[in-house]
Amino acid sequence: MTPSGRTSMDAGPLSRDPTLVTVDEQTTTVPKPKSPSASHNEDLEQGRAQSSSASESQILPTSPADGPSRSEKSTPLPLDENIVWWNGDDDPENPQNWTKFRKYSNCVLISLLTFIEPLASSIFTPGVPKLMQDFDSSNTSLAAFVVSVYVLGFAFGPMVLAPLSELYGRLPVYHGCNVLFLAFTISCAVAPSLGSLITFRFLAGTFGAAPMTNGGGSIADMFPPEERAAVMAGLSIGPLLGPIIGPVIGGFLTEKKGWRWDFWLISIVSGAIFIAMGFLMRESYGPVILEKRAERLRKETGNTQLRSKLDEGLSPRDLFKRSIIRPTRLLVFSPICTIFAVYLALVYGYLYLLFTSMTYVFEEIYGFNTKSVGLVYLGLGIGCIAGMSWFAWDSGNEIKKNANTNEPIKPELRLKLLPAGAIIFPAGFFIYGWTADYKTQWMGPVIGLAIIGIGNLICFMAISVYLVDAYERYAASALAANTIFRSIAGALLPLCGLRMYDKLGLGWGNTMLGLIAVGLIPIPFYIQRRGERLRIKYEITDL
């Protein structure tokens, strides 16, 4: 036992270890040895005496019905009774033992956030031309930046929000960020100038990153690996489908009410979600739950030595320092995290490059009005739904096959479809670019967008679920490291999109994007073959 009270292995927050003696369960026992130590039994009895009568029912059996007689059947294990852990495999406070209603109510609310907050990144995209007219500006770079600056906030938020969630818990981060997101979204609705709108958009994006950064961690808290794929599918569709549905809604709303009402709508919906979360959400992060339990028991028993098994023995200041640099350490010292961060940066950056260019492409080439341009985004949405269905179906089949082998589920199992997604993704750009360049019927580029959506979703889902499985306890930090890279790309690539199309044209411009993506196709195949070896070889044990 280390000084901090942890075992030599770094148990995850939801691990169940029935071999530990805890203050919240009966004494764990093993078959009686031939020569038991009397002095050892006396030491254990003295340790139990530290607890007050208020907590005796949690520590010691009160009647023969509470468990087998120790003298008749077994002898206590020589373990530290000051360690607080789950109260057996069925402890109702363990998030993996929550009722289905509590689990899925948490998941639905987080999924709604991951939908509405990315939706806010693009909802006013069809209204950008009118917005620029209202602020008397013709700068195309600023027109793109006012959209993508929100995603730049997604890059800065996770650097702090993920460590905070692993330090203080998921719930305070969700609630605090909801309040600030709502405040800055309302500020966008009443922004008096283009500069203030850009500033408020950045801050709204910074605090809007919370569900995308911490959502995967919350899923890991509540669900075992075999159940995560389907739940992660619902969670991950938001960051991709939200920005696609946004322009559809924004096209009609801007036409009827003006671009400011896009922000008012987001404020109303996010406010309603915030209220619902206040009533239904519960803390799911195991280390925080156990620490609160230990704190409560210290007050009840007067035993100041009680501590959570996951207590690392660090001061709050040292713990904060370790937590705040965890995403960066994963990004720098874990090759898997680095490779996937770069790869998803390309995939995500391309997606937002499309968002900022589609309005101009379909208005100038096909003569669509603001409402019709919004509907074009449905092509991407249909592709994303198709990709999600394919991934969920395939992942379910793989889990069933693995269950028959009785082997543990390896994170690499999630990467089976990644090579297919990597091949499909660039193919969509070739179709989209050349059909638009030759001004074919408008359905041609929409089909290209749908194919991009399929590839995009498969790549995003495979990598996200893999990171959650591979870094279970620190899933939020692993996803944060990934989010930082991809959000920077999502913010900066669109700034050069329109100028690229002006220089190269839609055909060759999208061909260049597609060829870059083709050049990265070997990465998924390499990770499939060598990923487990890389993950184990470069495992970071002191996160």
Side-chain angles (χ1 to χ4, degrees), residues 176-304:
C177 288
N178 283 344
V179 171
L180 293 169
F181 173 79
L182 181 60
F184 288 117
T185 302
I186 293 173
S187 299
C188 289
V190 297
S193 65
L194 186 59
S196 62
L197 177 61
I198 289 174
T199 302
F200 293 142
R201 286 269 295 166
F202 171 76
L203 293 171
T206 298
F207 296 106
M212 290 179 295
T213 303
N214 299 333
S218 297
I219 299 301
D221 295 340
M222 295 182 285
F223 294 91
E226 60 270 18
E227 297 179 18
R228 282 180 197 150
V231 182
M232 279 295 293
L235 182 75
S236 298
I237 195 67
L240 296 174
L241 199 59
I244 293 165
I245 299 296
V248 179
I249 299 170
F252 286 92
L253 193 57
T254 300
E255 189 81 9
K256 294 291 184 181
K257 295 286 188 179
W259 61 267
R260 292 184 186 272
W261 261 96
D262 295 333
F263 296 108
W264 284 118
L265 177 63
I266 295 295
S267 301
I268 292 168
V269 176
S270 60
I273 295 172
F274 172 56
I275 293 172
M277 290 182 79
F279 285 103
L280 297 174
M281 280 283 284
R282 296 293 182 269
E283 180 57 62
S284 66
Y285 192 46
V288 171
I289 296 173
L290 289 170
E291 181 55 38
K292 288 182 178 178
R293 173 181 283 184
E295 184 178 355
R296 170 172 56 81
L297 288 170
R298 283 194 293 268
K299 290 180 180 178
E300 291 178 358
T301 65
N303 181 2
T304 59

Side-chain angles (χ1 to χ4, degrees), residues 119-142:
L119 182 145
S121 68
S122 64
I123 188 170
F124 80 115
T125 302
V128 167
K130 292 185 178 181
L131 179 149
M132 299 303 286
Q133 289 177 8
D134 289 352
F135 290 127
D136 195 25
S137 175
S138 58
N139 189 319
T140 56
S141 294
L142 277 179

